[in-house]
Amino acid sequence: MPHTSEVMLHVNGTPHRLTLDNRTTVLDALREHLRLTGPKKGCDHGQCGACTVLLDGRRANSCLSLAVAHSGARITTVEGLPRGTDGLHPLQQAFLDRDGFQCGYCTPGQICSALGVIAEAAGGHPSHVTAADGPPPGEPVPLTADEIRERMSGNICRCAAYPHIVEAIEDVAGAAVTS
Amino acid sequence: MRSFTYERATDPAQAVALLGHHPSARFLGGGTNLVDLMKLGVETPGHLVDIARLPLDRVEESADGGLLIGATVRNSDLAADPAVRTRFPVLSQALLAGASGQLRNSATTGGNLLQRTRCPYFQDITKPCNKRRPGSGCPAREGAHRDLAVLGHSESCVATHPSDMAVALAALGADVLLLGPDGERTVPLTGFHRLPGDAPEKDTVLLPGELVTGVRLPASAAGLPSAYRKARDRASYAFALASAAVVLDVRDGVVRDVRLAFGGLAHKPWRATTAEAALRGGPATAAAFGHAVETELAAARPLRDNGFKVPMARNLAVRLLTELADPDASALDHTDPRRGDR
């Protein structure tokens, strides 16, 4: 049997057919083969979150996802976020407005993860800090600062921009609830 | 990483057959642990049978009021499942206390059960480890073992099982459903993981070629008050130093039924049968809970640097039992300065 595979990845709306070594992760396929360097290689072991992308609509560590196992998947990286009239996604604008980064290395992962957090909370997924007498199963969970901190714990920022990251996500999550 | 060939299975029987064709094959689920271990060189499969898309992705209520959880149900979906949240809350709480949002979106039920220890010597292939290389020795016994076992360990291994989910399943009295070359069988979760003894390379009683197809929750635990609590070095995204899962049935101040399991203390989820027997039929008081849990933990044999886990586990369990027995009383107790268990 071959140690390479034909892999189809639908990245930011564009289909790509690649022949990849089976060991290739989604992260390496994106960065090394498709030249999408938004997703970052931080720890390469699923501990830092810098590689976070949306994989079939859900946030995932692309460094622990084998490309061959995700052939056929729809992938969204920070490069493919829907943009407003000013050319930025609301989360990107909020990170600028709130000064939600210093070196910026973790930021694409933070933003993709935040997008996942907002969708998960809207879809009624609870978290470790969701109160037992909170919204009933299936109902949206309000994204308080505590909820955001808990749900974003898989994204490390070694510049420690955490307070501003939480504010940026609160801005967008709050707007999503009120709109 | 060692080079490997890859196949995607479409049904459980085919997956088992495909695995049997390759001596060094592994099943691939969400990959959150296996791919990591392959990068570290701890796991070196020559072939992967991808089972992540098997039709085992449903949570179904069984006729008797129990729950059947497919092996490929993702941890995040299981934690959010309405039936789990309302009737088996300890399971949802345990899942949400583990890993990160990203990892829970990928990790599967079967893979969570089969994840390997995070003992630093197991994960470092330049070091001896009886679990990774039988007979090579256990540096953890004299080395960095602050996070490792205090119960049920052996001369050859002091590793802990890292799962939070499995601790809740132990308390719930779950069964693990298996499919192998010789057909199906069912193993109680409490008998699925092993103590290390002199064969720490075996984490579980899984036979060669067997696939975890699901987990069954019994109706007997459905709807009872239950909860999970975990102590760790930071508030989120860290493995347990100690954790406790409790299912408690109290009527008129008397313990009708209780199931207690500890995480972070042993090579497997530690079902506290001694404490349970001491409590059943007796008063549901903090004093009785304390005495019963201390009787259970009298079996602890802490290593040089992890003795703190014993009182930590005791306090977690006693507080959780007390809160479940009388939720109104514990609601007044949030200013207790000893409350160090969040």
Side-chain angles (χ1 to χ4, degrees), chain A residues 3 22-23 45-46 63 153 155, chain B residues 1 3 36 39 102 236-237:
Chain A
H3 289 240
N22 289 337
R23 293 172 289 189
H45 289 278
C63 75
S153 69
N155 291 82
Chain B
M1 191 189 299
S3 186
D36 188 19
K39 289 184 178 193
Q102 289 96 316
S236 181
Y237 197 19

Side-chain angles (χ1 to χ4, degrees), chain A residues 1-3 5 21-23 25 44-49 52 58-61 63-66 68-71 73 113 120 124-128 130 135-138 150-151 153-156, chain B residues 1-8 22 28 30-32 35-36 39-40 46-48 50 53 74 76-77 79-80 82 85-86 92-93 96-97 99-106 232 235-237:
Chain A
M1 286 182 89
H3 289 240
S5 297
D21 187 302
N22 289 337
R23 293 172 289 189
T25 60
D44 208 26
H45 289 278
Q47 297 174 5
C48 77
T52 303
R58 293 157 61 119
R59 58 185 172 139
N61 298 113
C63 75
L64 292 182
S65 307
L66 293 173
V68 64
H70 292 277
S71 188
S113 190
E120 289 160 16
H125 277 225
S127 85
H128 176 62
T130 306
E150 162 60 26
R151 290 169 188 261
S153 69
N155 291 82
I156 310 297
Chain B
M1 191 189 299
R2 180 185 172 191
S3 186
F4 58 87
T5 52
Y6 170 93
E7 282 172 294
R8 197 179 280 184
H22 299 269
L28 173 69
T32 55
V35 173
D36 188 19
K39 289 184 178 193
L40 293 169
H47 185 71
L48 290 183
D50 189 348
R53 300 186 196 203
R74 307 294 161 151
S76 51
D77 293 326
R85 285 182 69 187
T86 53
S92 179
Q93 291 172 20
L96 294 172
S100 67
Q102 289 96 316
L103 290 169
R104 290 192 297 270
N105 278 343
S106 297
R232 42 185 162 175
S236 181
Y237 197 19

Side-chain angles (χ1 to χ4, degrees), chain B:
Chain B
M1 191 189 299
R2 180 185 172 191
S3 186
F4 58 87
T5 52
Y6 170 93
E7 282 172 294
R8 197 179 280 184
T10 52
D11 71 73
Q14 183 216 18
V16 170
L18 289 175
L19 194 85
H21 295 158
H22 299 269
S24 68
R26 287 278 190 284
F27 291 124
L28 173 69
T32 55
N33 191 210
L34 180 58
V35 173
D36 188 19
L37 292 173
M38 288 163 66
K39 289 184 178 193
L40 293 169
V42 174
E43 290 278 2
T44 55
H47 185 71
L48 290 183
V49 176
D50 189 348
I51 56 166
R53 300 186 196 203
L54 291 182
L56 300 171
D57 59 346
R58 297 185 60 186
V59 180
E60 295 171 304
E61 307 213 21
S62 50
D64 69 348
L67 216 56
L68 185 62
I69 301 161
T72 64
V73 174
R74 307 294 161 151
N75 287 178
S76 51
D77 293 326
L78 186 57
D81 185 88
V84 173
R85 285 182 69 187
T86 53
R87 294 167 59 219
F88 304 94
V90 63
L91 178 55
S92 179
Q93 291 172 20
L95 284 158
L96 294 172
S100 67
Q102 289 96 316
L103 290 169
R104 290 192 297 270
N105 278 343
S106 297
T108 63
T109 308
N112 188 314
L113 287 181
L114 292 172
Q115 64 181 305
R116 311 299 306 274
T117 184
R118 266 46 173 211
C119 174
Y121 302 99
F122 174 74
Q123 295 193 309
D124 180 352
I125 61 167
T126 68
K127 302 289 189 298
C129 169
N130 288 323
K131 183 181 282 297
R132 181 166 34 73
R133 198 147 43 86
S136 60
C138 175
R141 184 161 264 289
E142 297 300 325
H145 56 228
R146 172 184 174 269
D147 299 345
L148 302 179
V150 296
L151 282 165
H153 52 71
S154 69
E155 276 303 310
S156 66
C157 183
V158 295
T160 48
H161 194 265
S163 172
D164 294 293
M165 181 193 81
V167 182
L169 293 178
L172 288 168
D175 288 322
V176 184
L177 311 180
L178 306 174
L179 177 67
D182 299 324
E184 299 179 8
R185 68 182 180 121
T186 300
V187 177
L189 186 116
T190 50
F192 181 70
H193 297 98
R194 296 177 67 259
L195 290 178
D198 57 5
E201 69 277 13
K202 293 186 179 125
D203 289 355
T204 69
V205 299
L206 207 61
L207 297 171
E210 272 187 320
L211 171 72
V212 175
T213 58
V215 169
R216 192 167 56 209
L217 304 186
S220 58
L224 290 176
S226 71
Y228 186 75
R229 192 155 299 163
K230 173 175 179 178
R232 42 185 162 175
D233 282 330
R234 56 187 181 211
S236 181
Y237 197 19
F239 290 100
L241 296 167
S243 71
V246 170
V247 181
L248 184 63
D249 186 7
V250 172
R251 308 262 174 99
D252 304 324
V254 173
V255 176
R256 281 172 54 108
D257 193 14
V258 58
R259 300 106 176 273
L260 167 63
F262 288 110
L265 302 188
H267 196 258
K268 59 183 286 187
W270 188 271
R271 180 79 180 260
T273 50
T274 304
E276 292 175 12
L279 286 172
R280 235 173 244 122
T285 61
F289 295 142
H291 180 71
V293 171
E294 281 157 19
T295 306
E296 180 75 39
L297 293 173
R301 296 289 177 268
L303 305 165
R304 183 192 62 229
D305 293 334
N306 67 1
F308 71 96
K309 285 190 170 197
V310 179
M312 179 179 268
R314 178 212 177 272
N315 293 347
L316 283 172
V318 172
R319 180 164 289 278
L320 201 49
L321 285 159
T322 309
E323 288 180 10
L324 282 176
D326 191 353
D328 297 331
S330 58
L332 305 171
D333 199 24
H334 282 297
T335 55
D336 186 343
R338 292 165 299 174
R339 189 181 175 85
D341 55 12
R342 286 283 162 90

Side-chain angles (χ1 to χ4, degrees), chain A residues 97-124:
Chain A
D97 294 344
R98 292 290 188 171
D99 196 18
F101 52 88
Q102 185 172 311
C103 81
Y105 194 80
C106 72
T107 311
Q110 299 276 2
I111 288 175
C112 286
S113 190
L115 205 59
V117 164
I118 291 169
E120 289 160 16

